[in-house]
């Protein structure tokens, strides 16, 4: 075996007997290695192997070659079989290389071809001169020639490759598959990008027109590489690894990069095939950016809807009407007391949970919507929860219909509104319950009355309005705390007397309603009212006080009078109560035919009163006011009269309340003031008035209850321009005490215009002495109810005396009303009363009679009293 030393020193058997030949041997070896490396290594696209492999193969094959030459040289002869074989292989491969067939464009083929050429040269030399004749080159020379040849061949092939024009596919042979015209035609006709790339290097060998437009800019070098197409390198590694192991990928979604740098989503499919000894990847890609955008939008929409639905705390349901299957969301199940794992798919599972009182209404509302009667389902019901209690739900839904309008699907939501219902109940209690007594208040009673709007709904019932007599006086004298306690006690007694189905309510301050659900006829209703009257009239114990309870009741039944609804019953009971109050209170009055006639009369009078004064039907009588110091007429009170063309004379007690209810009292009041002013001016013009003289007119609360009425009245007084003291306006205590502060200001306006003011019927109202001194009054009139009893009732006498003293203490003149006999006049005079009026002096008389009385008192001697 040859050693390294022999190889370096020039062993005689190798023919390297001189150092120059040894040096040439090494150079030839290096040139061969470089040529093979250049030949067999990587080209510009990295397609033909790796340099280290070429170097190793080149070194091995040169050494093997020299060993073969040495064996042939020292042998006993030439081996024809070996030489022939080497010549055949070397010639064939060299011819293939020169022809440029791609089947041999590989590392093994090029190395084998080069070494075969080198072997052929050496063997030819040995064949000519097996023993190395003198004319033959030496073994070293043979090596030099072989090395130069193989190096030149490698450089030539490399140069040939470098000078070749660029094509989409670096081919070894023109007859390759992807260079085939049929393949090109098919690939170019496809509407999707098609590419062929090498499995190992990723170099693109072919791309159709769609691929070039998507991935290759105009003017860009043709040497593509798949790494430039992937947006994420990890995607490329994952795809290549799967192709190496499995051989194909199908419909993989990934992001790719276009030629302009923008990214897009694609559906990639690829397979590994072997063509002409090379493993290549045939791949296609479909742009799915629009689909991904739509998916993302749908996902966003679904996520947004899910979040909103969860935030809204709604349970969703979706009913496929054609199959009958219902989808219920987990929240719906949670609300209805089911677990998320419970399988619910029918309407029965829904309706079984609904409160029995609400299930029919829910089914009806759903059917009405399906029938097209409503634009959407919007209903409320109660549903049973897991713990058995019922929660209130608000359900909304809408149906999807086909082209013919038939509902095919219906979906909606269910929301827990129990808290809202609780608030509504609290608000309803606050709105419909009386805060003091806990009974139904006026608003709730109005709803109940309005709901019973037909004769059938009120048949067999009876309605009573109960009023506590003189409650205001009780409230003022004992205080509001005691007054409230009395009202609460009365409410408790009413509740105790009520039967199931009866309605108990507080209608006003001291008025209550008891609506009997069952009263067979008016007689039975009257018996119930009598029993109630006895129980409610018992004195009440409030603290240490025993408070008397005087009760008035107005009773109405459908059989008595015209009552076709709850509103009619309430109206009739009100009329009956008013009559009970007029008759003095402490009694029961039933609405009957007589009251019905009275109502009809009031209705007629109310209608006729609107035009009465314009038609001259309203006129005035005058009652004299006598100065008790000399029995002379100090003035007159103008009293309005109505002479009806058909009904005759209508007393003021009848039509004045009608005028107030109809809103006509203001108009009549202005007419009364104008008439009185004209009359007093006429008497003054005729010389019938001497000294202080006034004419009194009653003033209604409606005339001064608002700024408009007050302004109109003041304008009228300014227009009349009466001398100071000639006109005197009379007001009652109830008018003054409606709004004491406002009334004090209004009365001052009258005083500034020279109008005298008189407080009428003092002692019957509820005026407070703390306010009385603040009103700019001139006259205090003692009510006739006290004057008529003062001569035979010591307490009435003392009361009249106290009123007279009070009036004088306040600087007021005092008038005694309703003087019927001389004894009463004498008593008033003895008590120091200033003036008096009544039938003892004169009834109300016509203007001409009044003028005659004035004229008569001007003649001596002075009369003791005016004639009647």
């Amino acid at each position: 075996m040859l050693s390294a030393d022999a190889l370096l020193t020039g062993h005689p058997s190798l023919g390297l007997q001189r150092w120059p030949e040894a040096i040439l041997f090494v150079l030839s070896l290096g040139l061969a290695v470089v040529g093979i490396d250049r030949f067999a290594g990587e080209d510009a696209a990295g397609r033909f192997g790796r340099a280290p492999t070429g170097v190793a193969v080149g070194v091995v094959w040169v050494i093997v070659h020299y060993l073969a030459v040495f064996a042939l040289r020292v042998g006993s002869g030439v081996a024809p079989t070996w030489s022939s074989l080497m010549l055949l292989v070397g010639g064939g491969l060299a011819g293939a290389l020169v022809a440029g067939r791609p089947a041999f464009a590989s590392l093994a083929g090029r190395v084998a071809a080069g070494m075969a050429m080198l072997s052929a040269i050496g063997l030819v030399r040995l064949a000519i001169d097996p023993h190395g004749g003198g004319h033959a080159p030496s073994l070293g020379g043979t090596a030099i020639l072989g090395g130069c040849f193989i190096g030149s061949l490698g450089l030539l092939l490399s140069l040939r490759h470098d000078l070749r024009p660029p094509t989409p596919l670096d081919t070894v042979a023109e007859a390759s598959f992807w260079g085939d015209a049929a393949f090109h035609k098919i690939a170019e006709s496809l509407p999707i990008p098609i590419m062929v790339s090498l499995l190992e290097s990723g170099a693109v060998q072919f791309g159709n027109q769609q691929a070039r437009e998507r991935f290759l800019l105009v003017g860009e070098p043709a040497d593509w590489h798949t790494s430039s197409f992937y947006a994420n390198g990890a995607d490329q590694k994952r795809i290549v690894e799967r192709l190496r192991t499995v051989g194909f990928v199908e419909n993989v979604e990934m992001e790719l990069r276009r030629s302009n740098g923008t990214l897009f989503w694609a559906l990639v499919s690829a397979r590994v095939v072997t063509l002409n000894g090379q493993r290549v990847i045939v791949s296609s890609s479909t742009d799915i950016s629009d689909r991904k955008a739509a998916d993302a939008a749908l996902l966003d929409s679904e996520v947004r809807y899910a979040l909103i639905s969860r935030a809204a705390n709604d349970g969703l349901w979706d009913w496929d009407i054609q199959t009958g299957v219902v989808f219920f969301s987990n929240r719906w199940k949670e609300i209805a007391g089911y677990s998320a794992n419970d399988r619910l798919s029918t309407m029965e599972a829904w309706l079984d949970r609904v409160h029995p009182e609400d299930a029919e209404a829910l089914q009806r509302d759903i059917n009405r919507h399906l029938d097209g009667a409503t634009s959407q389902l919007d209903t409320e019901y109660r549903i049973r929860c897991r713990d058995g209690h019922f929660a209130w739900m608000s359900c909304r839904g809408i149906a999807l219909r086909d082209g013919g309008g038939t509902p095919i699907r219906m979906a909606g939501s269910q929301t827990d509104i129990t808290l809202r219902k609780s608030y509504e109940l609290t608000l309803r209690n606050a709105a419909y319950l009386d805060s003091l007594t806990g009974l139904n208040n006026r608003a709730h009673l109005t709803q109940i009355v309005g709901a019973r709007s037909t004769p059938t709904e009120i048949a067999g019932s009876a309605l009573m309005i109960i009023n506590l007599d003189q409650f205001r006086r009780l409230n003022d004298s004992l205080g509001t705390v005691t007054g409230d306690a009395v009202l609460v006690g009365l409410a408790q007694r009413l509740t105790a007397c009520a039967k199931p189905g009866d309605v108990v309510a507080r209608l006003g301050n001291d008025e209550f309603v008891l609506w009997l659900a069952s009263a067979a006829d008016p007689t039975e209703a009257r018996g119930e009212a009598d029993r109630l009257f006895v129980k409610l009239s018992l004195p009440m114990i409030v603290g240490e006080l025993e408070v008397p309870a005087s009760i008035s009741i107005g009773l109405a039944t459908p059989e008595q009078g015209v009552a076709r609804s709850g509103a009619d019953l309430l109206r009739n009971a009100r009329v009956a109560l008013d009559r009970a109050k007029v008759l003095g209170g402490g009694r029961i009055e039933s609405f009957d035919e007589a009251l019905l006639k009275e109502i009809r009369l009031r209705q007629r009078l109310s209608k006729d009163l609107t035009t009465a004064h314009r038609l001259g039907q309203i006129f005035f009588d005058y009652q004299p006011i006598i100065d008790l110091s000399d029995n002379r007429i100090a003035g007159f009170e103008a009293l309005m009269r109505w002479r009806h063309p058909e009904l005759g004379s209508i007393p003021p007690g009848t039509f004045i309340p009608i005028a107030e209810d109809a809103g006509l009292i203001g108009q009549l009041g202005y007419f009364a003031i104008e008439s009185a002013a004209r009359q007093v001016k006429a008497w003054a013009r005729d010389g019938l008035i001497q000294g202080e003289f006034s004419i009194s007119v009653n003033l209604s609360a409606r005339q001064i209850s608002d700024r408009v009425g007050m302004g109109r009245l003041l304008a009228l007084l300014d227009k009349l321009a009466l001398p100071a003291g000639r006109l005197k306006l009379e007001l009652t205590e109830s008018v003054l005490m409606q709004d004491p502060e406002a009334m004090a200001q209004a009365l001052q306006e009258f005083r500034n215009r020279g109008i005298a003011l008189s407080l009428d019927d003092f002692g019957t109202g509820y005026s407070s002495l703390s306010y009385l001194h603040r009103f700019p009054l001139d006259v205090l009139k003692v009510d006739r109810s006290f004057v008529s009893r003062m001569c035979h009732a010591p307490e009435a006498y003392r009361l009249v005396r106290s009123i007279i003293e009070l009036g004088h203490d306040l600087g007021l003149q005092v008038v005694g009303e309703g003087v019927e006999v001389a004894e009463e006049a004498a008593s008033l005079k003895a008590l120091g009363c200033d003036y008096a009026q009544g039938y003892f002096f004169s009834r109300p008389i016509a203007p001409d009679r009044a003028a005659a009385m004035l004229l008569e008192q001007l003649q001596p001697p002075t009369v003791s009293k005016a004639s009647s």
Side-chain angles (χ1 to χ4, degrees):
M1 181 174 294
L2 291 176
S3 64
D5 295 337
L7 199 60
L8 293 175
T9 57
H11 196 280
S13 65
L14 291 176
L16 299 177
Q17 300 176 1
R18 295 183 299 275
W19 280 106
E21 288 189 7
I23 295 173
L24 289 175
F25 168 75
V26 174
L27 291 176
S28 66
L29 180 62
L31 186 60
V33 170
V34 172
I36 292 172
D37 177 33
R38 183 73 176 94
F39 189 132
E42 288 183 305
D43 65 1
R47 293 192 295 264
F48 296 108
R50 300 184 179 274
T53 306
V55 171
V57 174
V59 170
V60 172
W61 276 97
V62 167
I63 294 174
V64 172
H65 168 73
Y66 275 97
L67 292 176
V69 172
F70 174 76
L72 289 173
R73 185 73 179 270
V74 299
S76 59
V78 179
T81 303
W82 174 255
S83 300
S84 301
L85 180 61
M86 295 299 290
L87 285 172
L88 181 61
V89 173
L93 292 176
L97 266 174
V98 174
R101 301 304 294 176
F104 299 97
S106 65
L107 172 63
R110 290 188 177 189
V111 171
M115 297 311 298
M117 294 287 284
L118 184 61
S119 298
I121 294 173
L123 291 176
V124 170
R125 169 72 181 83
L126 290 176
I128 294 174
D129 188 4
H131 300 285
H135 63 278
S138 66
L139 183 58
T142 302
I144 293 171
L145 291 175
C148 292
F149 178 83
I150 194 63
S152 301
L153 181 62
L155 293 174
L156 178 62
L157 290 174
S158 297
L159 181 63
R160 180 174 182 271
H161 174 267
D162 293 339
L163 296 177
R164 202 181 319 164
T167 63
L169 190 63
D170 190 8
T171 62
V172 175
E174 293 180 357
S176 65
F177 177 79
W178 45 81
D180 187 75
F183 172 75
H184 273 270
K185 186 174 182 179
I186 294 173
E188 294 294 348
S189 65
L190 294 176
I192 60 175
I194 300 294
M195 289 191 297
V196 180
S197 61
L198 296 179
L199 174 62
E200 298 301 329
S201 65
V204 178
Q205 304 298 296
F206 171 79
N208 66 353
Q209 180 66 28
Q210 293 288 336
R212 293 193 297 274
E213 290 179 355
R214 179 168 295 176
F215 299 108
L216 181 64
L217 289 172
V218 176
E220 185 179 325
D223 49 347
W224 299 347
H225 197 278
T226 53
S227 61
S228 64
F229 305 153
Y230 289 90
N232 189 344
D235 289 341
Q236 182 184 13
K237 291 180 180 180
R238 178 166 52 88
I239 293 297
V240 172
E241 184 63 28
R242 180 169 178 82
L243 288 172
R244 283 175 178 166
T245 57
V246 181
F248 69 93
V249 293
E250 294 287 345
N251 298 329
V252 178
E253 293 183 2
M254 63 181 60
E255 276 193 298
L256 299 181
R257 182 181 288 104
R258 296 187 182 91
S259 57
N260 60 4
T262 60
L263 302 180
F264 69 98
W265 278 95
L267 201 64
V268 177
S269 296
R271 284 186 176 274
V272 175
V273 297
T274 302
L275 297 177
N276 294 337
Q278 297 186 86
R279 299 183 73 192
V280 298
I281 303 172
V282 179
S283 62
S284 66
S285 62
T286 303
D287 190 340
I288 59 171
S289 298
D290 291 343
R291 196 202 77 189
K292 292 291 287 185
D295 290 346
L298 179 60
L299 179 60
D300 288 344
S301 177
E302 291 176 347
V303 171
R304 186 182 306 112
Y305 182 77
L307 289 175
I308 292 174
S309 175
R310 190 62 182 174
N313 212 26
D314 290 348
L316 306 181
W317 53 272
D318 185 358
W319 178 24
D320 188 334
I321 300 176
Q322 294 178 328
T323 64
V325 176
V326 185
F327 163 78
F328 299 101
S329 69
N330 289 340
R331 177 56 183 157
W332 193 101
K333 295 177 183 178
E334 179 185 341
I335 291 174
Y338 294 101
S339 68
N341 296 326
D342 289 338
R343 293 186 177 182
L344 308 177
S345 60
T346 63
M347 289 295 291
E348 287 73 16
W350 181 355
L351 295 175
D352 286 347
R353 285 274 179 173
V354 177
H355 195 286
E357 296 178 2
D358 302 334
E360 183 178 350
L362 173 60
Q363 186 67 67
R364 182 181 64 250
D365 291 341
I366 293 175
N367 293 338
R368 292 184 70 245
H369 177 61
L370 294 178
D371 294 339
T374 58
S375 60
Q376 70 173 16
L377 172 66
D378 191 349
T379 186
E380 295 179 356
Y381 53 85
R382 288 162 292 176
I383 198 166
R384 187 174 65 254
C385 298
R386 186 177 301 275
D387 59 1
H389 85 277
F390 283 91
W392 275 99
M393 297 293 131
S394 173
C395 181
R396 292 184 177 182
I398 193 166
L400 176 66
R401 304 176 186 273
D402 60 15
T406 301
I408 58 176
R409 202 175 195 91
M410 188 174 179
S413 64
Q414 174 176 269
T415 307
D416 190 333
I417 59 170
T418 304
L419 185 60
R420 192 198 80 190
K421 281 291 188 178
S422 176
Y423 288 154
E424 288 179 356
L425 179 61
T426 302
L427 292 175
R428 185 181 68 84
N429 289 340
Y432 294 145
L433 294 182
D434 180 61
S435 59
L436 177 64
T437 63
L439 301 179
N440 298 317
N441 62 10
R442 188 187 190 95
H444 195 193
L445 179 65
T446 301
Q447 284 194 344
I448 296 173
V449 169
R452 303 178 183 184
S453 57
T454 64
T456 303
E457 291 171 326
I458 65 172
S461 66
L463 190 146
M464 289 181 279
I465 300 181
I466 301 98
N467 178 257
L468 190 60
D469 296 332
Q470 302 296 324
F471 174 73
R472 184 168 183 177
R473 178 173 293 178
L474 181 150
N475 216 24
D476 290 341
S477 60
L478 299 180
T480 57
V481 174
T482 302
D484 290 345
V486 171
L487 292 177
V488 172
L490 184 62
Q492 292 173 347
R493 289 181 180 181
L494 270 174
T495 304
C497 294
K499 300 175 182 178
D502 292 350
V503 176
V504 182
R506 184 183 179 192
L507 185 59
N509 184 36
D510 57 347
E511 289 185 346
F512 297 84
V513 168
L514 175 60
W515 196 338
L516 300 177
S518 177
D521 51 46
T523 302
E524 181 179 343
R526 180 59 188 242
E528 291 291 338
D530 290 337
R531 286 188 288 273
L532 181 66
F533 182 83
V534 172
K535 293 180 180 180
L536 296 183
S537 299
L538 295 174
M540 294 187 183
I541 306 301
V542 180
E544 298 180 354
L545 297 177
E546 183 179 270
V547 181
S550 176
I551 300 298
S552 296
I553 297 178
L555 173 64
T557 61
E559 296 81 4
Q560 292 179 306
V562 180
R564 302 181 59 82
S565 65
D568 292 341
L569 271 183
L570 186 62
R571 179 203 62 201
N572 293 349
R574 164 64 63 190
V575 173
L577 178 64
D578 290 343
R579 185 164 71 174
K581 301 293 286 185
V582 169
L583 295 177
R587 57 192 300 131
I588 302 173
E589 288 294 326
S590 300
F591 186 86
D592 52 18
E593 292 298 326
L595 272 178
L596 179 60
K597 292 179 180 179
E598 182 180 330
I599 289 176
R600 290 174 176 172
L601 176 61
R602 287 173 61 89
Q603 291 174 344
R604 179 181 180 183
L605 293 179
S606 177
K607 179 181 177 181
D608 294 345
L609 192 58
T610 57
T611 58
H613 79 283
R614 290 190 286 107
L615 297 177
Q617 299 172 9
I618 300 298
F619 63 96
F620 295 89
D621 283 341
Y622 298 90
Q623 186 174 36
I625 299 174
I626 305 300
D627 186 345
L628 292 178
S629 64
D630 56 8
N631 291 334
R632 295 178 61 86
I633 299 175
F636 286 95
E637 180 178 359
L639 301 174
M640 187 178 294
R641 300 290 186 260
W642 180 16
R643 186 180 295 109
H644 193 278
E646 298 178 9
L647 302 176
S649 179
I650 308 296
T654 299
F655 72 84
I656 292 298
I658 295 176
E660 290 180 344
D661 293 341
L664 300 173
I665 192 62
Q667 186 178 9
L668 293 177
Y670 302 138
F671 178 64
I673 292 174
E674 287 182 304
S675 299
R678 285 196 301 268
Q679 188 61 68
V680 75
K681 286 182 179 181
W683 288 336
R685 185 181 59 249
D686 295 339
L688 299 178
I689 298 175
Q690 293 182 348
E692 295 183 0
F693 184 90
S694 63
I695 188 165
S696 300
V697 179
N698 288 294
L699 191 64
S700 170
R702 291 181 178 269
Q703 292 178 269
I704 55 175
S705 60
D706 58 77
R707 292 184 178 181
V708 175
M710 186 66 182
R712 182 178 177 184
L713 181 56
L714 293 176
L716 175 62
L717 295 176
D718 293 338
K719 177 182 177 182
L720 295 175
L722 290 172
R726 282 288 185 256
L727 180 63
K728 185 179 295 181
L729 298 179
E730 294 191 359
L731 304 93
T732 62
E733 290 181 79
S734 59
V735 173
L736 289 180
M737 296 310 298
Q738 286 183 355
D739 187 351
E741 296 292 341
M743 287 299 166
Q745 295 179 8
L747 297 184
Q748 191 59 49
E749 293 286 345
F750 296 141
R751 171 64 66 85
N752 296 339
R753 287 167 171 76
I755 306 299
L757 299 171
S758 176
L759 182 59
D760 196 10
D761 300 334
F762 183 76
T764 61
Y766 313 101
S767 61
S768 172
L769 296 180
S770 63
Y771 276 97
L772 189 59
H773 73 280
R774 300 174 58 182
F775 297 123
L777 300 172
D778 298 287
V779 177
L780 198 64
K781 301 185 76 172
V782 184
D783 187 70
R784 69 186 63 219
S785 61
F786 304 135
V787 173
S788 62
R789 295 186 294 115
M790 63 180 298
C791 292
H792 55 270
E795 69 279 2
Y797 180 86
R798 290 192 295 270
L799 181 59
V800 171
R801 181 181 62 190
S802 298
I803 294 175
I804 294 173
E805 291 176 354
L806 174 63
H808 289 162
D809 290 341
L810 294 175
L812 306 178
Q813 294 178 338
V814 181
V815 177
E817 296 183 292
V819 177
E820 301 286 340
V821 295
E823 185 180 4
E824 294 170 353
S827 296
L828 289 173
K829 183 176 182 180
L831 292 174
C833 186
D834 302 298
Y835 302 98
Q837 68 180 102
Y839 286 179
F840 172 71
F841 302 104
S842 174
R843 290 177 176 273
I845 55 178
D848 55 345
R849 290 286 307 278
M853 290 182 67
L854 290 174
L855 180 60
E856 182 180 354
Q857 80 173 1
L858 292 177
Q859 307 296 326
T862 303
V863 297
S864 60
K865 70 173 184 176
S867 59
S868 60

